Structures are given as structure tokens and as C-alpha cells.
């Protein structure tokens, strides 16, 4: 049997281009004992993958050149040599960017078949857990506080806003690019205030009085948030998508003395340091989802052949909510 895969052909400089990737058809070896073969139904494309395309030191190893890229995926077991994962089992794993995956059972996790498979790549997967861990573990959100979320129409940002409200935030403010995305924040995700950063500089729009800032953007948004924070505010640094494709790094915020004046705490995090939150996350969030208290948006790209364009579109802000590729 073969597997159609997307390989990293060269390391991008600045914005990635289609020629940085290559489609490869690879023959798969026969299954060994305690291994399974999975036909992927959905694979994920995410902003953090841009960092893995470079070979600079980071919290996660870079993608290897001329090898299949990896990432979250969900699929169904089509062949099994393991009692624990019989044929037909729905599983999640990290062998994305391909249509068929295989390996030992330790690399695959069975999930509830009653929930939409793609949800495990978003609201019930690393995306949702990132939002929850950032708010509760890093931001230490308390009832009655005001939260500001940048990149709020994206997968993580939209989850953060909703979870903040369900966890007792008094006011939830979000920023997004363009009137359509800004309208989604209040009309679909329940944000109290939506700011269109394309309409005017974000610092001119953001009100004072922020207790927790969940940062997915960096740059001008981080500077604006520092200026608007309450004393003892917490800035949760999850992503800085505005910086990922710069060939020359930009200077940091010009108002960093405010960090001292206001006794602010800025903490970056990656989910790998908070995976123990998973049981708490699932016991809290699954009921919200089943009760209709939590909604999520997906942008679905059809076909593995279009995965690269889906990734590039997501990096340009072309997605609403979680970007997934239906294989």
C-alpha cells in the first residue's frame, strides 16, 4: 500500500511559497505486530508549523527536509495487528500531511466516534486545550476580570473568548481583521466588544482596564495591550503570527517600562508543558460542547493536494476558526 505525503523540500525565507513543498508517493511496509494502518479523514494546518519549517532552535524540533511533515490528524483504522485498536476505530495522532499513516499503537489514541472527527483537531484537541491552559494555568483568570484576545476570529482565539466568558469573565474583548470577522466575534462567539484592527490602529481602539491579555499576534497588539493593562495584569504569550514571516526582526514594544510601573507579568507558554491539564480540560469542555454553550468554526480545505495552499491561506488570515484539510 502507498501513502501520499507532503514533504518539506526547502526552508522558506520570509513567507513560505509552494515551491518549498513537494508531493511524494511512498510505499508503506507491511504491518508489524502491535501496529495499525490509518486512513486519515482530516489533517490540521496550524501557525506553529511555520516555525518548524526553519532550523532555528525552538521548543520543538524542525521539520526534516525531504521527509513527510507531521501534525495533528484524525482518521480510521483500516488494518490492524493490535487488539487495542481494531479495524474501524477512530483515532487521533501526529502523522498529518499524508493520507495514510501507520505505526505502533502507542502513537494513536482512540476517541469518541459520536463527536465530529474534525473537532478533535480543534475545539477538543490541541487548539481547545491551548486556549484552556493559557487562560487557567498561565493567565490565572478570575471571575469578574476583563480579557482581551488578539487573533480572536482564529481557532485558538475564538475558543479563548468563549471559555473566558464561561469561566466568569466580566468583559471579553477581541480583535480581528475586517468587519466580517469582527462581527463574528459578537454575533457567533459571544464577545462583548469586537475591534477591527484594519479600521484603525489597535492602540486607538483598545479601552483601558484589561486584566488578562491572550496574545496570538504580538507586534502592535502587544504594545497596545501593555498600555491598556490594569495593575498586576497577566499577558499570556501564545503566538505572534505578525512576526513569523519577517526577514528582519522588528523592535519590541516601545512602552515596556509600563511592565514595571504596573507590576505586569508576561509569560510565554507552549502546550507541551501543560499536557497534564487534559483530564480537567475534557471534563469541563465536552459538557459545554454537548450543551451548546461552546461553538466552533471550521474552514475546510478539500483534498491533500490543496493542503499547502490551505496552510498559506491560513497564514494570511484566510480562515475562520480552525483550518483543516479533508483528506
Amino acid at each position: 500500500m502507498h501513502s501520499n505525503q507532503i514533504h518539506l523540500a526547502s526552508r522558506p525565507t520570509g513567507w513560505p511559497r509552494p515551491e518549498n513543498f513537494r508531493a511524494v508517493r511512498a510505499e508503506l511496509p507491511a504491518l508489524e505486530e502491535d501496529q495499525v494502518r490509518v486512513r486519515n479523514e482530516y489533517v490540521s494546518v496550524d501557525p506553529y508549523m511555520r516555525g518548524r519549517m526553519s532550523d532555528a532552535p525552538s521548543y520543538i524540533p524542525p521539520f526534516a527536509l525531504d521527509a513527510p511533515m507531521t501534525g495533528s490528524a484524525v482518521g480510521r483504522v483500516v488494518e490492524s495487528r493490535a487488539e487495542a485498536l481494531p479495524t474501524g476505530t477512530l483515532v487521533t495522532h501526529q502523522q498529518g500531511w499524508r493520507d495514510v499513516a501507520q505505526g505502533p499503537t502507542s502513537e494513536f489514541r482512540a476517541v469518541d466516534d459520536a463527536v465530529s472527527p474534525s473537532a478533535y483537531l480543534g475545539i477538543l484537541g490541541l487548539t481547545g486545550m491551548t486556549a484552556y491552559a493559557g487562560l487557567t494555568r498561565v493567565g490565572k483568570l478570575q471571575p469578574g476580570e476583563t480579557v482581551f484576545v488578539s487573533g480572536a476570529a482564529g481557532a485558538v482565539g475564538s475558543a479563548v473568548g468563549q471559555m473566558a466568558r464561561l469561566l466568569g469573565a466580566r468583559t471579553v474583548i477581541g480583535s480581528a481583521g475586517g468587519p466580517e470577522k469582527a462581527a463574528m466575534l459578537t454575533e457567533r462567539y459571544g464577545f462583548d466588544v469586537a475591534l477591527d484592527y484594519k479600521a484603525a490602529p489597535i492602540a486607538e481602539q483598545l479601552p483601558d482596564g484589561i486584566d488578562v491579555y491572550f496574545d496570538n499576534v504580538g507586534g502592535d497588539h502587544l504594545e497596545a495591550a501593555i498600555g491598556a493593562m490594569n495593575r498586576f495584569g497577566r499577558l499570556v504569550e501564545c503566538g505572534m503570527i505578525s512576526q513569523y514571516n519577517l526577514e528582519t526582526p522588528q523592535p519590541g514594544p516601545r512602552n515596556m517600562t509600563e511592565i514595571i510601573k504596573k507590576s505586569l507579568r508576561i509569560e510565554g507558554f507552549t502546550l507541551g508543558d501543560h499536557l497534564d491539564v487534559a483530564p480537567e480540560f475534557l471534563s469541563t469542555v465536552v459538557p459545554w460542547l454537548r450543551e451548546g454553550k461552546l461553538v466552533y468554526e471550521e474552514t475546510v480545505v478539500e483534498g491533500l493536494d490543496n493542503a499547502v495552499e490551505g496552510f498559506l491561506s491560513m497564514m494570511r488570515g484566510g480562515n475562520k476558526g480552525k483550518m483543516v484539510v479533508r483528506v
Side-chain angles (χ1 to χ4, degrees):
M1 192 171 185
H2 66 268
S3 172
N4 295 302
Q5 307 169 347
I6 306 297
H7 291 201
L8 186 65
S10 59
R11 300 202 182 278
T13 300
W15 283 93
R17 303 180 307 278
E19 53 265 34
N20 295 127
F21 307 88
R22 181 183 300 119
V24 175
R25 183 183 176 99
E27 292 298 320
L28 295 174
L31 285 184
E32 299 179 6
E33 194 66 31
D34 199 40
Q35 288 191 338
V36 294
R37 181 171 291 155
V38 174
R39 183 169 296 281
N40 286 336
E41 296 184 6
Y42 293 89
V43 300
S44 179
V45 291
D46 300 283
Y48 83 90
M49 293 174 174
R50 173 61 185 88
R52 297 192 68 190
M53 294 172 190
S54 301
D55 57 2
S58 184
Y59 65 92
I60 189 170
F63 292 128
L65 292 177
D66 301 314
M69 294 188 295
T70 58
S72 298
V74 60
R76 206 167 294 276
V77 176
V78 293
E79 188 176 344
S80 174
R81 293 193 63 187
E83 289 186 12
L85 295 176
T87 300
T89 304
L90 188 69
V91 295
T92 61
H93 57 93
Q94 289 298 306
Q95 291 189 41
W97 294 91
R98 70 198 79 188
D99 58 0
V100 178
Q102 74 177 46
T105 56
S106 60
E107 296 181 6
F108 301 86
R109 180 172 68 91
V111 292
D112 187 348
D113 210 352
V115 178
S116 173
S118 59
Y120 290 105
L121 302 184
I123 197 68
L124 293 181
L126 300 183
T127 298
M129 203 183 308
T130 296
Y132 186 85
L135 276 175
T136 61
R137 291 285 185 86
V138 184
K140 301 187 184 304
L141 175 64
Q142 300 299 311
E145 292 189 319
T146 294
V147 177
F148 171 45
V149 187
S150 60
V156 172
S158 59
V160 171
Q162 295 180 82
M163 291 180 187
R165 175 172 45 81
L166 290 165
L167 290 168
R170 180 183 62 186
T171 304
V172 182
I173 303 168
S175 71
E180 183 182 357
K181 286 187 175 182
M184 287 181 61
L185 301 187
T186 53
E187 295 172 4
R188 178 161 175 77
Y189 299 129
F191 283 71
D192 299 292
V193 179
L195 308 177
D196 176 5
Y197 67 79
K198 293 184 177 180
I202 193 67
E204 296 178 4
Q205 302 184 63
L206 183 62
D208 290 336
I210 308 301
D211 297 298
V212 177
Y213 171 48
F214 197 107
D215 191 10
N216 294 301
V217 174
D220 61 344
H221 279 68
L222 176 56
E223 183 173 298
I226 290 173
M229 298 298 292
N230 282 334
R231 186 167 170 79
F232 302 114
R234 288 86 69 201
L235 295 92
V236 181
E237 297 303 314
C238 178
M240 293 192 177
I241 197 169
S242 70
Q243 312 293 301
Y244 291 163
N245 297 302
L246 297 177
E247 296 186 41
T248 302
Q250 289 183 342
R254 295 168 295 180
N255 57 350
M256 293 183 71
T257 57
E258 294 295 305
I259 298 171
I260 301 169
K261 295 177 184 178
K262 297 179 178 179
S263 298
L264 303 179
R265 178 169 61 82
I266 302 179
E267 182 176 346
F269 84 104
T270 58
L271 186 58
D273 294 323
H274 299 278
L275 292 177
D276 61 317
V277 80
E280 176 189 332
F281 163 73
L282 290 173
S283 66
T284 302
V285 175
V286 169
W288 285 344
L289 193 61
R290 288 177 174 164
E291 293 165 15
K293 295 179 179 179
L294 196 62
V295 299
Y296 63 96
E297 193 82 15
E298 290 180 334
T299 299
V300 180
V301 174
E302 296 291 345
L304 185 66
D305 291 345
N306 294 315
V308 170
E309 182 51 42
F311 170 76
L312 298 177
S313 174
M314 179 268 305
M315 291 299 295
R316 300 186 195 104
N319 58 304
K320 297 176 183 175
K322 182 75 184 76
M323 178 76 86
V324 296
V325 178
R326 180 157 39 210
V327 180

